[in-house]
Amino acid sequence: MTGEIRTKMALDYEKQREYRFVVTAKDGASDPRIATATVTVEVVDVDDELPIFHLTSYEAQVPENMPDYMVTQVKADDPDTNQKITYIIKQGSTELFSIDPKTGIIITTRGLDYEKESQYILVVGTLENPGTGPGATTRVIVNVLDRNDIPPVFTAVPRPVTLNDDVPIGTTVTTLIATDSDGTSPGNKVRYELVGRGKAQKYFQIDSDTGVIQVRDDLRKETSTEYEIAVKAYDLGEPQLSSVTSVHVYVRHVATVPPDQGIGFADNFYTVEVPENATTDTLIKTLTIINNRAHQDIIPLKCDIIQGNEEGLFYTSITEDRNCDLRLKVANLDHEKKSEYQLQMKLDTLSGLVNPSRSIATVKVNVVDVNDNRPHFIFPNAKFNGKYFGALPVDSQIGTIVLQVKAEDADSGKYSQLSYHIVPNSSYFKIDETSGIITTTNTFSNVDLNQLPFKFNVAVRDNPDSSYDSFTVEAPVVINLISDQNRLILVIDDAKPKTIQHETNGLVDIMEDNTNLVIGIEKVAVKQYLGDNGTIEQDNSGTDVWFYAIDPDTDKILDRNSTRIQRSILSKEAVSRITVDVTGNLHATASSIHPPLTVPKIITAIAVSWEVFPYALIVIACIILVLGIVGIIYICISWSRYKAYKERMQRMYVVPRYDPVFVEPNLKEYETQVLQMSVPLDDSDSYNDLQLDFSGKNHAFSLDNVSYITKENGDSIGQQSPVSSDAATTARASSIVGGVDMGRGHSRGESDHNNLMGHDPPLMPVTNPMYQRSSEEDIGHMNASATNENVTFREKRDYSHLGFTYLGDRSPVETTTEL
């Protein structure tokens, strides 16, 4: 009636997770209507199932002594959707085993010991299933695997054993017993053997299975009275383990003789000399042993060095004659290190056969020095070892010290004496044979640059007084000349020169490490700087280190403007790197590197006091006023002279009037004047006349229009009248001038002028009284014109009415006027 759906029985998610069915609804009419709906029921899982182990037991094997070893992993199943399983060990040793509650992995918490227990049983369950029913728990059987982890152990400490030296071979000395606690074979099987070095193995032996020690050889062959027998007990497991113990055996020698018949050294003290270059096995001394023939078949004999041979350089041996040889074991004698050895020798044999007073002898070994070491040079520069570098100013005088070469010889005495020589001999340098100091023997003012740097070798010879027993070694020397362009200065602000002088070697090392150049320090001086007035001042609290640099590849000193100096020393990065290193190592502040200071050229100004300044201005104004007045007077005088000169020149020029003059053909024309004039157009009435108008309205005649043309000699004769051409109309009139050269210009007004007054009245000559001469005199100085190319007319006309007489086509002397 309500439509509610209820369960008839308990649902089980593990059996069926979903149900589906159809629900109908109908009304109460006689003819009811029906509706349907499908219903799906999802069963929600709840933790109502218990985890169950499907395996009832697990079995695993674990090696002993293995902590954190994974034993096995157990697995339980939970049918629920949200599986929740927490594993626990319900029974068993939780001290030795642990289980991961999430994964079920069982591990060992520490190493198991097979010898204590070889098997463990664990019961594993879950917290979700506390019951005891089937599957609630599972059993884990852990079998421990035995390993060889226990070495054999001797059951007792061996006691010392004493034997007579005449006991037979095979005599039992003692028996050693060792046990092994390992649980399984072969790790618990024990064997024995003799170990160690010495003579014990020669005279004793041990049974490997039982541990019984026996005498192996005749004990009378040795003089020893005590033996230490080292015995090792080992098992047969893997890995093999062992332990060692020692057995002390004392041998009692029973043979005796009277002391005077006993064996001993013939002497108690010996002195020998050995050269230091003695080779290995060299015989140093044979020590005679007296009474050595007695009982020689059974008596052992040996000779030992008991003192003085700490370095192991010597050894002894018994010869066939039963004497003691002392020999050199290692060829390492060195007179310079140690010149004398005191060796104490002991004769050893059976205790009852030795003469106590002669059993010990002392041998004094004197090492004789020989020349076995070559001299070697000591180079001050470790970075560029093998070569000496020196430098000195180019203006150095004779006798200047350049550098000192040093050599050492490991020999002593006369073999350590050294003598120096320059090879080959130099004309600029010499060396002191004893000290090795190189000094100059000449000046360098005339040195060829191709000779630089100076290069030669210095030879050092030891034992110089000997002609054959000596060694000679050479070393190269390079010497450069220092000029101003090579010098650089390292500035140290807060350290005095006296302090820095002791640190020059450190400075050189720092700069060479930074630059890879050979650095030389020329001098250490007080710091200098430029003052405010341009002078060089001194700062006594600072230091200037003057240095130079040499290229180790070319051996040449470097100019500070060279690329390598600029890059390695004077660049900002290089200066910063060098100054930081110097500051850190010398504990003094290095600030900069710069060239040597120079005084700048200063233009001095005249200082004028403000008190005399007004008076100085008045004096300057007076001088300017006087100079101005003098200039004005000079200009006025110059202008007055110019006006007077101009007027005089105008008076000197008088316009002459000349008649045409004709000269002989052989006379030379002196000068020709060209007048630029204008000519009006011809009209019909004056067609046959030459119309020349010099009035101001047609042409402004002036001396500026006059030019001079010099003609060469002509060879025509007679007079020539103007000719006509189509190019121009030109009237020519002859002019005769006096003895004055008219070709010099117009300035002096000495030229003659032709003034043509037109056609009415006819042209008449006008004579200048200043230049008038007789006709013979004039004719004698004239030159005829060579050509007539300057005269052209439009057409030929008859000018006879003007006084022209035509003698031909050419005129010997002409003055042309271009119209």
Side-chain angles (χ1 to χ4, degrees):
M1 296 302 293
T2 64
E4 291 180 352
I5 300 174
R6 298 179 180 274
T7 58
K8 288 185 177 181
M9 58 181 295
L11 304 181
D12 192 348
Y13 176 84
E14 285 71 31
K15 292 182 178 180
Q16 188 171 348
R17 301 183 180 183
E18 183 182 85
Y19 296 89
R20 290 191 180 189
F21 50 86
V22 177
V23 177
T24 61
K26 66 180 179 178
D27 56 19
S30 58
D31 186 12
R33 300 291 182 179
I34 299 176
T36 62
T38 301
V39 178
T40 301
V41 179
E42 299 286 348
V43 180
V44 178
D45 189 22
V46 295
D47 293 337
D48 57 346
E49 299 291 337
L50 298 176
I52 297 175
F53 291 97
H54 296 290
L55 292 178
T56 59
S57 66
Y58 294 84
E59 188 170 359
Q61 293 181 340
V62 179
E64 66 174 333
N65 305 319
M66 296 289 290
D68 298 326
Y69 187 84
M70 179 180 172
V71 179
T72 188
Q73 181 178 14
V74 297
K75 180 68 175 176
D77 292 329
D78 187 351
D80 292 322
T81 303
N82 296 324
Q83 295 183 355
K84 186 176 181 182
I85 303 175
T86 305
Y87 299 97
I88 58 173
I89 297 176
K90 290 190 174 183
Q91 293 180 11
S93 177
T94 56
E95 295 179 354
L96 299 177
F97 302 93
S98 66
I99 188 169
D100 189 302
K102 299 295 183 183
T103 62
I105 295 176
I106 301 173
I107 62 173
T108 60
T109 57
R110 64 172 183 261
L112 305 181
D113 189 352
Y114 177 85
E115 286 71 33
K116 289 184 177 180
E117 191 163 353
S118 61
Q119 187 181 74
Y120 296 89
I121 297 177
L122 305 176
V123 176
V124 179
T126 61
L127 291 177
E128 290 76 16
N129 190 357
T132 58
T137 59
T138 187
R139 188 175 66 165
V140 179
I141 301 173
V142 181
N143 295 314
V144 182
L145 299 179
D146 186 25
R147 284 193 171 188
N148 190 27
D149 58 341
I150 300 176
V153 177
F154 288 96
T155 57
V157 176
R159 294 183 178 183
V161 178
T162 302
L163 299 174
N164 292 331
D165 61 353
D166 57 353
V167 295
I169 296 174
T171 301
T172 299
V173 178
T174 188
T175 301
L176 298 180
I177 299 175
T179 59
D180 195 312
S181 300
D182 282 314
T184 59
S185 179
N188 55 7
K189 299 296 182 182
V190 180
R191 296 291 183 269
Y192 305 92
E193 68 176 352
L194 299 184
V195 294
R197 297 179 180 180
K199 297 178 181 179
Q201 297 186 45
K202 179 180 178 181
Y203 293 98
F204 301 94
Q205 63 184 7
I206 189 171
D207 187 282
S208 60
D209 294 325
T210 61
V212 175
I213 300 175
Q214 296 175 330
V215 176
R216 181 180 181 181
D217 202 352
D218 191 351
L219 297 177
R220 291 176 295 180
K221 293 181 180 180
E222 285 291 336
T223 61
S224 300
T225 59
E226 181 180 353
Y227 295 91
E228 184 178 358
I229 305 173
V231 179
K232 180 177 78 172
Y234 60 92
D235 59 24
L236 302 180
E238 182 65 32
Q240 189 181 85
L241 301 177
S242 64
S243 58
V244 177
T245 189
S246 296
V247 179
H248 291 273
V249 177
Y250 297 97
V251 177
R252 187 170 47 242
H253 296 285
V254 296
T256 58
V257 296
D260 56 345
Q261 297 179 9
I263 298 173
F265 292 109
D267 241 331
N268 290 334
F269 191 85
Y270 300 89
T271 301
V272 293
E273 291 185 348
V274 181
E276 63 177 337
N277 58 352
T279 59
T280 302
D281 295 329
T282 297
L283 177 62
I284 296 175
K285 182 66 176 177
T286 298
L287 282 69
T288 304
I289 300 176
I290 59 175
N291 299 324
N292 58 4
R293 298 291 181 178
H295 312 286
Q296 61 179 349
D297 294 333
I298 62 173
I299 296 176
L301 184 65
K302 69 177 181 178
C303 184
D304 294 329
I305 304 173
I306 61 174
Q307 189 175 346
N309 193 28
E310 290 78 10
E311 299 175 11
L313 299 178
F314 308 94
Y315 74 97
T316 60
S317 63
I318 300 298
T319 66
E320 294 180 358
D321 297 334
R322 296 175 69 82
N323 291 318
C324 181
D325 275 354
L326 177 63
R327 293 181 178 271
L328 183 64
K329 184 177 183 179
V330 181
N332 196 25
L333 296 179
D334 192 344
H335 174 82
E336 287 69 37
K337 291 183 178 179
K338 192 171 183 179
S339 61
E340 180 182 300
Y341 294 88
Q342 288 272 74
L343 302 178
Q344 196 170 41
M345 315 287 293
K346 181 180 180 181
L347 187 62
D348 199 2
T349 184
L350 299 179
S351 59
L353 302 179
V354 176
N355 186 348
S357 62
R358 292 185 177 271
S359 62
I360 294 177
T362 301
V363 180
K364 181 179 180 182
V365 180
N366 293 323
V367 181
V368 180
D369 188 23
V370 296
N371 193 16
D372 60 339
N373 294 295
R374 291 177 174 271
H376 64 278
F377 284 96
I378 302 173
F379 296 96
N381 195 324
K383 187 175 182 61
F384 304 101
N385 198 13
K387 189 179 293 186
Y388 285 97
F389 290 95
L392 71 163
V394 69
D395 55 353
S396 297
Q397 301 300 315
I398 297 175
T400 302
I401 296 177
V402 183
L403 58 90
Q404 182 179 14
V405 298
K406 291 184 178 180
E408 287 183 350
D409 196 309
D411 293 317
S412 61
K414 64 179 181 179
Y415 299 118
S416 64
Q417 296 178 4
L418 301 176
S419 177
Y420 301 92
H421 302 278
I422 291 179
V423 180
N425 290 329
S426 173
S427 59
Y428 289 95
F429 304 97
K430 68 176 182 179
I431 189 169
D432 186 273
E433 294 185 1
T434 304
S435 64
I437 296 176
I438 298 176
T439 56
T440 60
T441 59
N442 205 341
T443 59
F444 305 100
S445 57
N446 297 323
V447 173
D448 186 0
L449 295 179
N450 294 326
Q451 291 182 260
L452 299 178
F454 298 104
K455 293 184 179 181
F456 52 84
N457 285 353
V458 171
V460 60
R461 181 170 179 258
D462 64 2
N463 194 14
D465 296 333
S466 175
S467 59
Y468 62 93
D469 190 13
S470 64
F471 294 105
T472 300
V473 180
E474 294 185 2
V477 177
V478 177
I479 298 177
N480 281 274
L481 296 181
I482 307 173
S483 56
D484 287 339
Q485 61 267 27
N486 306 127
R487 293 184 171 97
L488 292 166
I489 298 176
L490 171 66
V491 180
I492 300 177
D493 294 331
D494 51 1
K496 294 184 178 181
K498 185 177 180 180
T499 303
I500 300 300
Q501 189 69 47
H502 301 291
E503 304 291 341
T504 54
N505 292 334
L507 280 174
V508 169
D509 292 340
I510 292 171
M511 289 191 284
E512 286 181 347
D513 291 339
N514 280 278
T515 63
N516 290 322
L517 299 174
V518 180
I519 302 298
I521 293 180
E522 185 179 5
K523 64 178 179 178
V524 178
V526 175
K527 176 184 174 182
Q528 294 182 339
Y529 64 94
L530 287 177
D532 296 336
N533 57 355
T535 59
I536 296 179
E537 305 291 342
Q538 289 188 347
D539 181 4
N540 293 326
S541 63
T543 302
D544 281 348
V545 180
W546 294 61
F547 70 95
Y548 56 87
I550 297 175
D551 189 341
D553 299 327
T554 62
D555 295 334
K556 291 185 177 181
I557 193 168
L558 295 175
D559 191 300
R560 60 174 171 266
N561 294 325
S562 64
T563 303
R564 193 159 184 184
I565 289 290
Q566 293 292 329
R567 182 179 64 253
S568 301
I569 296 180
L570 295 179
S571 65
K572 290 183 178 179
E573 296 80 4
V575 171
S576 175
R577 187 170 57 252
I578 293 173
T579 53
V580 168
D581 288 351
V582 171
T583 301
N585 286 274
L586 268 64
H587 305 290
T589 305
S591 60
S592 64
I593 298 175
H594 62 75
L597 299 177
T598 57
V599 179
K601 295 182 179 179
I602 301 175
I603 301 175
T604 58
I606 300 175
V608 179
S609 174
W610 286 106
E611 297 178 356
V612 300
F613 185 76
Y615 303 101
L617 289 179
I618 295 173
V619 172
I620 294 172
C622 294
I623 293 173
I624 293 174
L625 178 61
V626 171
L627 292 177
I629 294 172
V630 171
I632 293 172
I633 294 174
Y634 176 79
I635 292 173
C636 293
I637 294 173
S638 298
W639 175 254
S640 176
R641 289 181 179 178
Y642 170 74
K643 294 291 290 183
Y645 174 79
K646 186 175 181 181
E647 291 175 358
R648 186 171 64 254
M649 292 301 295
Q650 289 179 355
R651 289 196 300 269
M652 289 175 65
Y653 286 98
V654 179
V655 179
R657 182 178 183 85
Y658 294 102
D659 287 332
V661 178
F662 299 94
V663 299
E664 293 300 326
N666 57 351
L667 296 179
K668 177 188 287 187
E669 176 181 295
Y670 187 74
E671 78 175 18
T672 301
Q673 302 175 2
V674 180
L675 305 180
Q676 298 180 0
M677 297 173 290
S678 63
V679 180
L681 296 176
D682 294 347
D683 51 37
S684 59
D685 294 336
S686 60
Y687 181 77
N688 294 323
D689 296 332
L690 177 60
Q691 300 292 333
L692 300 177
D693 188 358
F694 290 94
S695 62
K697 64 180 179 178
N698 289 327
H699 181 71
F701 178 79
S702 69
L703 295 179
D704 296 333
N705 294 328
V706 179
S707 63
Y708 301 93
I709 304 173
T710 302
K711 297 290 187 174
E712 296 179 356
N713 295 337
D715 56 356
S716 61
I717 61 174
Q719 295 180 350
Q720 181 177 0
S721 63
V723 294
S724 64
S725 69
D726 296 334
T729 301
T730 305
R732 298 190 178 186
S734 299
S735 174
I736 301 174
V737 298
V740 181
D741 187 356
M742 303 301 293
R744 306 299 182 190
H746 302 281
S747 63
R748 297 178 61 187
E750 296 173 358
S751 302
D752 294 334
H753 304 274
N754 290 335
N755 183 11
L756 302 180
M757 304 303 295
H759 68 281
D760 187 21
L763 278 97
M764 298 298 291
V766 180
T767 305
N768 187 346
M770 296 177 61
Y771 302 102
Q772 186 175 5
R773 295 183 180 182
S774 63
S775 61
E776 296 83 359
E777 191 178 5
D778 294 336
I779 294 172
H781 292 280
M782 290 188 177
N783 241 345
S785 176
T787 62
N788 195 23
E789 69 272 14
N790 293 332
V791 180
T792 56
F793 288 88
R794 187 178 299 279
E795 60 179 293
K796 290 185 178 181
R797 295 185 182 182
D798 186 9
Y799 291 98
S800 60
H801 65 282
L802 297 177
F804 291 98
T805 303
Y806 295 93
L807 299 179
D809 295 332
R810 301 180 65 183
S811 175
V813 180
E814 300 173 329
T815 298
T816 63
T817 302
E818 291 185 0
L819 307 182

